[in-house]
Amino acid sequence: MSKRRPLVAGNWKMNGSLALVDEMKSALEASEFANTDVLVCPPFPYLGSLASDGFILGAQNHSKFDAGAHTGETSAAMLKEFGCRYVIVGHSERREDNNESNLDVAEKVETAINAGLIPILCVGESEQTRDAGKENEFIAEQLDAVLKLIGIANVAKIVIAYEPIWAIGTGKTASPEQAQAVHEFIRSHLTKENADVAASVQILYGGSVKASNAATLFSQPDIDGGLIGGASLNAEEFLAICQAANA
Ligand code: PGA
């Protein structure tokens, strides 16, 4: 079976500036990635100025509510209106900083789909969970909360990102074998519900991906691209990662 189309998403987190917006825009507009979807997910204020033909736009979060009295929140419909195609959901930093539960995350996945956005559902274990050998169990629980709410057919409308917490921003990347093992587990877990959906869903790896390790990670059979944090803040480095996916 041929692999799925690669996707590389830059997650700026709470970083960036108008200068970085300009730099990234010109770098990406000047590049062509025929075989890869390239996605930039800046903080909300930069979404409007980043809308461009050269790449796809995503947000980093949205409200689980559709609209109304939720001061400070942003709806999925607003993001759609601003040109976003994707939204990151359930990043471990949001699960931790904002106490987002598996149910909150599932509700956000559902709200995003209903608004016509593609949620990038993040899952991944802590170092402690891995040391205890319970990473698959932990990830299955994160996936099952979403499956229970949206059903397997809707999994065809999402992207999954495996991001081991111990590898995020630490420079400690999962080895290609470690990452592949979890990606394979995620696919086999979904296969129990629907083999076609499981075979076609894109599963990205995130956690200290750099230009120097991207190619070996992306060459694994169940890794369909990456969710890139720190390295997405440097245009040259980010383009090299996109190139590795596109090769
Ligand atoms: P990192 O972050 O590439 O800086 O490790 C990845 C992420 O959190 O999406």
Side-chain angles (χ1 to χ4, degrees):
M1 190 200 67
S2 68
K3 273 183 79 170
R4 297 133 297 263
R5 184 176 170 82
L7 172 66
V8 176
N11 172 14
W12 288 14
K13 310 191 179 187
M14 202 173 72
N15 297 299
S17 59
L18 283 174
L20 184 65
V21 166
D22 288 343
E23 189 196 334
M24 203 59 75
K25 237 175 136 164
S26 20
L28 287 167
E29 279 169 1
S31 318
E32 230 181 273
F33 300 104
N35 308 318
T36 300
D37 288 331
V38 174
L39 168 65
V40 181
C41 304
F44 290 136
Y46 301 129
L47 283 172
S49 30
L50 253 174
S52 162
D53 291 337
F55 48 92
I56 307 165
L57 205 56
Q60 299 174 15
N61 176 46
H62 69 285
S63 171
K64 67 179 181 181
F65 302 108
D66 287 328
H70 305 288
T71 302
E73 293 291 335
T74 303
S75 76
M78 291 168 191
L79 296 175
K80 176 85 180 161
E81 206 170 37
F82 254 74
C84 288
R85 198 188 296 176
Y86 291 83
V87 62
I88 299 170
V89 178
H91 191 283
S92 58
E93 288 154 13
R94 290 208 56 87
R95 291 181 190 258
E96 190 178 327
D97 294 354
N98 302 81
N99 295 317
E100 288 188 8
S101 67
N102 280 344
L103 180 60
D104 292 327
V105 170
E107 286 174 352
K108 286 187 178 201
V109 167
E110 187 178 47
T111 315
I113 293 173
N114 289 343
L117 291 174
I118 304 171
I120 301 177
L121 166 66
C122 300
V123 297
E125 80 288 357
S126 65
E127 188 149 44
Q128 206 184 7
T129 303
R130 175 163 280 264
D131 288 347
K134 296 208 158 120
E135 65 272 19
N136 288 353
E137 209 176 298
F138 183 83
I139 291 164
E141 229 172 86
Q142 291 182 319
L143 290 172
D144 287 346
V146 174
L147 273 171
K148 193 171 162 206
L149 192 71
I150 69 169
I152 187 70
N154 277 315
V155 174
K157 300 179 187 160
I158 77 172
V159 170
I160 296 171
Y162 168 54
E163 296 209 309
I165 298 168
W166 48 271
I168 296 177
T170 57
K172 211 164 140 189
T173 321
S175 69
E177 296 74 25
Q178 281 174 321
Q180 166 58 26
V182 174
H183 283 233
E184 199 179 330
F185 167 75
I186 293 172
R187 228 178 272 290
S188 69
H189 190 70
L190 298 174
T191 300
K192 290 187 248 162
E193 304 271 336
N194 184 315
D196 290 340
V197 171
S200 60
V201 68
Q202 290 163 306
I203 309 179
L204 313 181
Y205 168 77
S208 299
V209 177
K210 306 182 258 300
S212 58
N213 59 25
T216 41
L217 284 161
F218 298 164
S219 68
Q220 299 299 311
D222 287 296
I223 300 184
D224 304 312
L227 182 53
I228 320 298
S232 74
L233 299 171
N234 177 305
E236 206 180 310
E237 180 88 7
F238 186 57
L239 289 180
I241 294 171
C242 297
Q243 199 51 61
N246 197 56

